[in-house]
Amino acid sequence: MRAPLAPEPRLVRPEINTRMEPVDWAQLLLLSVLWGGSFFLIAVSVTGLPVLSVVAIRLGVAAMVLWLIVLMTGRKLPRAPGIWAAFLVMGILNNAIPFGLIVWGQTSIPSGLASILNATTPLWTVIVSGLLLSDEGFSARKLVGVVLGLGGVAVMIGLDTLAGLGHAIWAQLAILGAALSYAFANVFGRRFRSMGLDPVVTAAGMVTGSSALLVPLALSVDGWPGAEVPGQVWLAAIVLGVVSTGLAYVLYFRVLARAGATNISLVTFLVPVSAVFLGWLFLAETLGPAHLLGVALIALGLVLIDGRLLAGRK
C-alpha cells in the first residue's frame, strides 16, 4: 500500500545545481541589488502612505506588470486548480505572513536588529530543506557557512544592534517567524519547476495570490489613498512594485528552480551588502572597516555553503 507522502518525491525529481554556476551567482547578486534598493524605495513610500497600503500597492503593481508580460509574450496560462492553489500558498508563505510579521515586529525593535534576525533565513532553510528535501541534506560545512554569513551581516549592520536582544521578545520572535516562513516558501517553491511553469508565470501567480489577500485588507484598514499623496511617493511605490518585486521575483524563481532552496536563501546575506554599497556609491555614505570585514565573512560563508572551491573543482 502506498504511503500517504509517496507523491512528495516529485518535488525534487528535477535535478538542481547545488553548487551554483556563474550565471546563478550573477542572478543572485542582481536580485540582492533589486531587494537592497527596496529599502530606499520603502523609506520614501512610507512618508506619504500607510505601511499596509505600501505593501498592497507593491504587490498589486507587481501582479499587473507580470501578467502584462505574460500576455504580451504569449506565455501559457496555467488552468489546473492545483497550480493556482499552490500560487496562493506560496503567496501566503513568501509575502503575506513574512511582510505582516516584519512590519509588526519593526514597530517595537530597531531595523538593524530586525535585519540581523531576518538574515537567519538561510539557517532555517538549511534545516527545513534538510528535513523535507532529499537532495538538499544537512552538512556541517553548510551550517558553518550559514553561521559565518550571519556573523558577517551582524558585523556590517553593527554589533551594537545586538544590544536589543532580550527586549521586546515577541517582536523579535515575529521577525524570526518571518524568516522561518521564508524558509518554508523556499522549500515549497521547488515544486513549481516540476510543474513545468515559466518563472514569469510563477512570479505572477504568487504575487496575485498574496495581492488577493492584502489588497482588500489594506483597503479595509487604510481606505483609498488620498489626493494629497506626493508624486514622488507614488513613483517610489510603483518602482518598488515593478522593479524590486515583479522583476525581482522572476529572478528569484529562476535561481530557485536551478539552484535550490538553500542557495536562493543566500540572497538574505547579500541584500545588506548591496544596500551598504549602493549607499556608498550613490548617497556618499561611509564605507568603514566593519563593512569590509562583514563582506569578507559573508564571502567566506558563501564559499563554504557552495563548496566548489573546497572541492578543488568547477
Side-chain angles (χ1 to χ4, degrees), residues 17 35 40 84 173 176 186 228 259 291 306:
N17 301 318
W35 279 346
F40 169 75
W84 287 97
L173 290 176
L176 289 175
N186 292 335
E228 70 280 0
H291 297 123
D306 181 69

Side-chain angles (χ1 to χ4, degrees), residues 158-204:
L159 291 175
D160 57 316
T161 59
L162 295 175
L165 287 173
H167 302 285
I169 188 64
W170 287 110
Q172 295 178 50
L173 290 176
I175 306 297
L176 289 175
L180 181 60
S181 186
Y182 281 134
F184 276 104
N186 292 335
V187 171
F188 184 85
R190 279 283 305 276
R191 70 187 59 212
F192 292 113
R193 179 177 177 178
S194 65
M195 293 177 178
L197 296 175
D198 182 274
V200 178
V201 175
T202 305

Side-chain angles (χ1 to χ4, degrees), residues 77-92:
L77 298 178
R79 296 184 179 181
I83 293 178
W84 287 97
F87 286 157
L88 179 60
V89 173
M90 188 66 179
I92 292 172

Side-chain angles (χ1 to χ4, degrees), residues 2 46 56 60 92 130 139 154 160 162 205 210 213 238 248 263 284 286:
R2 178 177 291 182
V46 296
I92 292 172
S139 75
D160 57 316
L162 295 175
S210 51
L213 296 173
I238 291 172
N263 286 326
T286 303

